Amino acid sequence: MSKTIIKIENVSKQYKLGVVSSKTVAADLSRWWHKLRGKEDPFLKVGEANDRSVVGNSEYVWALKKIDFEVKQGEVLGIIGLNGAGKSTLLKILSRVTTPTTGKITIHGRMASLLEVGTGFHPELTGRENVFLNGAILGMSKQEIKAKFDEIVSFSGVERYIDTPVKRYSSGMYVRLAFAVAAHLEPEILVIDEVLAVGDAEFQKRCLGKMKDVATAGRTVLFVSHNMGAIADLCDRVVILKHGQVYKMGPTEEMINEYINHTLHVNLKDSKTLQDTTLRRGSGELRIVDVRLQNIENTTQTEFEIEEPIKLTVQCEKNSSVKEAYFMMALRSSVSREIVSSTIKHNISDLCQKQSSFAFEMNLNPMQLNEGIYELYYWLGSSQNENPYDVLDNLTTPLKIKRNNNSTKFSGYSLLNSNING
C-alpha cells in the first residue's frame, strides 16, 4: 500500500480585506495577550466564508476553512473549483509561499512548484542562468542540474533563446522553460497551478505526457486546472473546492460530473447574463429566448435515461427583417469539450417570416449515448454561415444521461430528427 506523502489537517487561511498585510500592531498584541493566557486567537472567531456570490459584512474572509485530506505517493490529484474557491491559496500553503492561519501540513519529500508564469525566474538573467538558479531554489546541486540541462532545454523548445534574458521571453516561453525545470529535476512532489493554459496545444500535450511519466515513476502530482479534459486524462482522484472548503472528493469521472452538474449551470432566462457573457454571440437579428427539453409526457427536465425520447422546444424572437434562418443543435462532452452528436441544420425560414415571435418543436431520436453530462450548443443563422444570428454555447443546464436497469451501454452518436413542428 502506498504511503501518505502529503497530509493536510484542519488547514484554514484567513485574510483581512483592504490592506496589504493581514496583521497590525494592535492585532499582534491582542493575539500575543490571548496566547499568553492560553486563550484562543480572537481573530479566528470572525470572518466569513469565501463566497463571491454574496455581499459580505466582515473585513475578514476565510480563503480556506478546515481542509482535511491525504495524498498518497505516486498519486495524481486534481483540484478543481470556480475562481476564488481557494485552489491557488491551498497550493501556495503547500509550497510554503504562505503559512496557514490554523492547521498542520506534513510533507515527505522534495517539492517543485509551478504556481505562476516564471516562478523563481529573474527577468534580467538569461534562460541558461535561470535554469541553474531555479534548480538551486528547488534544492538541486550544480552537478544534478548540469546532467539534466540539455534535456530541460530540449523539452522547453527555447534552445535558440537560452542565452537571452528571460524578460524578452513571451509568457508561453516563460512557461515552457519553467515547467521543463520543475519536471526534469526529479522532485518527489510536483505542484502545478493553471499556468499550462498559457502554452500552446502542442506544449500542453507534451506537459501532460511528462506529468504521466512523473506519476508513473512513483512521484506525486497535484494539478489545478479548469480544463476538465486534462483533469480526466491525468488524475486518479479529484478534490472539489467550494467557498474555501472541500465540497467533495472522489474518483475523477464522478467528481467532474458532479462539478459540471452542480457548479456550472447558467440560467437561460437571465437576459442580463446572456447579454454579458462571452459564450453568447451573434448579430441579434434573431434570438433564442427559451429552450426546453421535455419527455414524452411534455414534462420539462434535463435528466433522461438512455434511449428515452427527448422533445426540444425552442422559442425565438425576431428583432429585424430576416428572410432566411436555420437552426442547429449539438451536444458537447463536458469532459473532452468535443461534439459527440450528429448535427443537422433545420430550415425555419417560413416560421420567422410569418411572425416576430414564434416557437417550434423538434423530436430527438433516442439518445444512444454513454451515461454522463453533455453541454448543449444551439445555433441560429443563414445558409451562408458567415455571421450567425445567435449562438448559445453551454448557456443552459447541461443534459444528463443516466442508465436504467434494462439499458446497455452504447458508445455511439445520436441523430436529430429533422421533423419540425411550428
Side-chain angles (χ1 to χ4, degrees):
M1 183 176 180
S2 299
K3 69 175 184 179
T4 298
I5 197 167
I6 300 175
K7 187 173 184 180
I8 302 172
E9 303 175 81
N10 196 33
V11 167
S12 301
K13 181 65 177 179
Q14 185 187 69
Y15 288 107
K16 184 177 181 181
L17 303 178
V19 293
V20 176
S21 172
S22 61
K23 297 181 179 179
T24 63
V25 174
D28 287 342
L29 287 174
S30 177
R31 283 175 166 149
W32 171 80
W33 179 240
H34 279 74
K35 183 179 180 180
L36 188 66
R37 295 182 296 155
K39 303 290 186 180
E40 183 184 17
D41 187 335
F43 292 93
L44 300 184
K45 300 178 181 179
V46 300
E48 298 173 331
N50 188 19
D51 186 354
R52 298 178 298 116
S53 63
V54 297
V55 178
N57 297 315
S58 174
E59 61 179 349
Y60 292 91
V61 64
W62 289 100
L64 295 175
K65 188 74 171 177
K66 296 181 179 179
I67 304 294
D68 279 287
F69 62 84
E70 297 180 356
V71 185
K72 301 294 184 181
Q73 182 178 11
E75 183 178 13
V76 183
L77 180 69
I79 303 175
I80 62 178
L82 296 176
N83 291 333
K87 306 183 298 297
S88 295
T89 301
L90 177 59
L91 293 195
K92 287 177 180 178
I93 291 176
L94 289 171
S95 304
R96 299 184 177 92
V97 174
T98 186
T99 57
T101 305
T102 64
K104 177 183 177 183
I105 296 178
T106 305
I107 299 176
H108 302 282
R110 182 168 51 199
M111 178 182 290
S113 303
L114 193 57
L115 303 182
E116 58 185 37
V117 176
T119 300
F121 278 22
H122 192 293
E124 298 296 335
L125 300 181
T126 66
R128 182 185 303 273
E129 292 166 334
N130 271 297
V131 169
F132 283 90
L133 172 64
N134 207 10
I137 291 173
L138 295 176
M140 310 303 293
S141 68
K142 189 174 183 179
Q143 288 71 27
E144 288 177 292
I145 300 170
K146 279 185 175 181
K148 290 282 186 178
F149 183 81
D150 291 341
E151 189 178 349
I152 291 170
V153 175
S154 176
F155 183 89
S156 68
V158 298
E159 295 97 330
R160 186 176 181 182
Y161 310 97
I162 195 64
D163 291 310
T164 301
V166 296
K167 67 181 181 181
R168 298 193 176 99
Y169 284 17
S170 68
S171 58
M173 293 168 65
Y174 249 109
V175 160
R176 281 174 173 267
L177 192 57
F179 179 85
V181 174
H184 283 82
L185 295 183
E186 300 185 354
E188 283 81 11
I189 306 167
L190 182 60
V191 176
I192 301 176
D193 207 340
E194 187 65 81
V195 292
L196 295 185
V198 180
D200 53 41
E202 180 271 334
F203 184 69
Q204 288 184 34
K205 184 177 180 180
R206 197 187 308 178
C207 290
L208 292 175
K210 184 61 181 178
M211 284 190 279
K212 285 183 179 179
D213 294 340
V214 169
T216 304
R219 286 172 278 167
T220 305
V221 179
L222 272 66
F223 184 40
V224 167
S225 180
H226 292 287
N227 185 337
M228 294 299 108
I231 291 288
D233 188 44
L234 184 67
C235 299
D236 306 313
R237 271 193 314 156
V238 168
V239 174
I240 303 176
L241 294 184
K242 185 176 181 181
H243 305 327
Q245 298 178 302
V246 175
Y247 173 65
K248 282 190 178 180
M249 184 175 186
T252 300
E253 183 178 355
E254 181 183 335
M255 291 300 100
I256 289 176
N257 288 337
E258 176 73 23
Y259 174 64
I260 293 173
N261 194 35
H262 292 91
T263 313
L264 298 182
H265 291 179
V266 181
N267 187 359
L268 178 66
K269 295 182 179 180
D270 188 347
S271 58
K272 181 178 180 181
T273 301
L274 289 178
Q275 292 172 358
D276 292 346
T277 181
T278 57
L279 296 179
R280 182 168 192 164
R281 57 188 175 87
S283 64
E285 297 171 81
L286 187 64
R287 285 284 194 183
I288 299 172
V289 295
D290 192 22
V291 179
R292 296 181 184 178
L293 295 173
Q294 298 174 315
N295 60 18
I296 56 176
E297 298 176 349
N298 294 326
T299 300
T300 300
Q301 60 188 58
T302 58
E303 186 173 307
F304 295 83
E305 294 181 347
I306 291 177
E307 301 178 357
E308 181 181 0
I310 301 176
K311 182 174 71 174
L312 174 69
T313 302
V314 184
Q315 184 176 349
C316 300
E317 286 185 357
K318 184 171 62 176
N319 298 316
S320 63
S321 177
V322 174
K323 296 182 179 180
E324 182 185 56
Y326 290 83
F327 173 82
M328 181 178 70
M329 174 193 176
L331 302 182
R332 175 181 282 120
S333 168
S334 59
V335 175
S336 67
R337 299 287 295 162
E338 295 178 348
I339 297 293
V340 294
S341 65
S342 300
T343 55
I344 301 176
K345 193 181 294 185
H346 300 281
N347 192 338
I348 57 171
S349 301
D350 290 342
L351 292 175
C352 68
Q353 288 176 8
K354 293 177 181 178
Q355 46 196 333
S356 60
S357 179
F358 59 92
F360 59 90
E361 297 176 353
M362 294 173 51
N363 295 318
L364 279 65
N365 283 338
M367 309 296 290
Q368 295 178 322
L369 290 167
N370 285 331
E371 58 182 327
I373 299 176
Y374 300 90
E375 299 170 358
L376 302 173
Y377 176 91
Y378 303 106
W379 180 92
L380 278 179
S382 66
S383 59
Q384 303 299 321
N385 197 23
E386 293 178 356
N387 186 23
Y389 305 136
D390 198 15
V391 178
L392 305 185
D393 191 354
N394 193 27
L395 286 181
T396 59
T397 301
L399 170 65
K400 184 175 183 179
I401 302 296
K402 64 179 183 179
R403 299 183 67 185
N404 56 34
N405 296 330
N406 300 321
S407 64
T408 57
K409 214 168 187 179
F410 175 77
S411 182
Y413 298 116
S414 63
L415 293 174
L416 303 186
N417 193 323
S418 58
N419 182 28
I420 293 184
N421 300 315

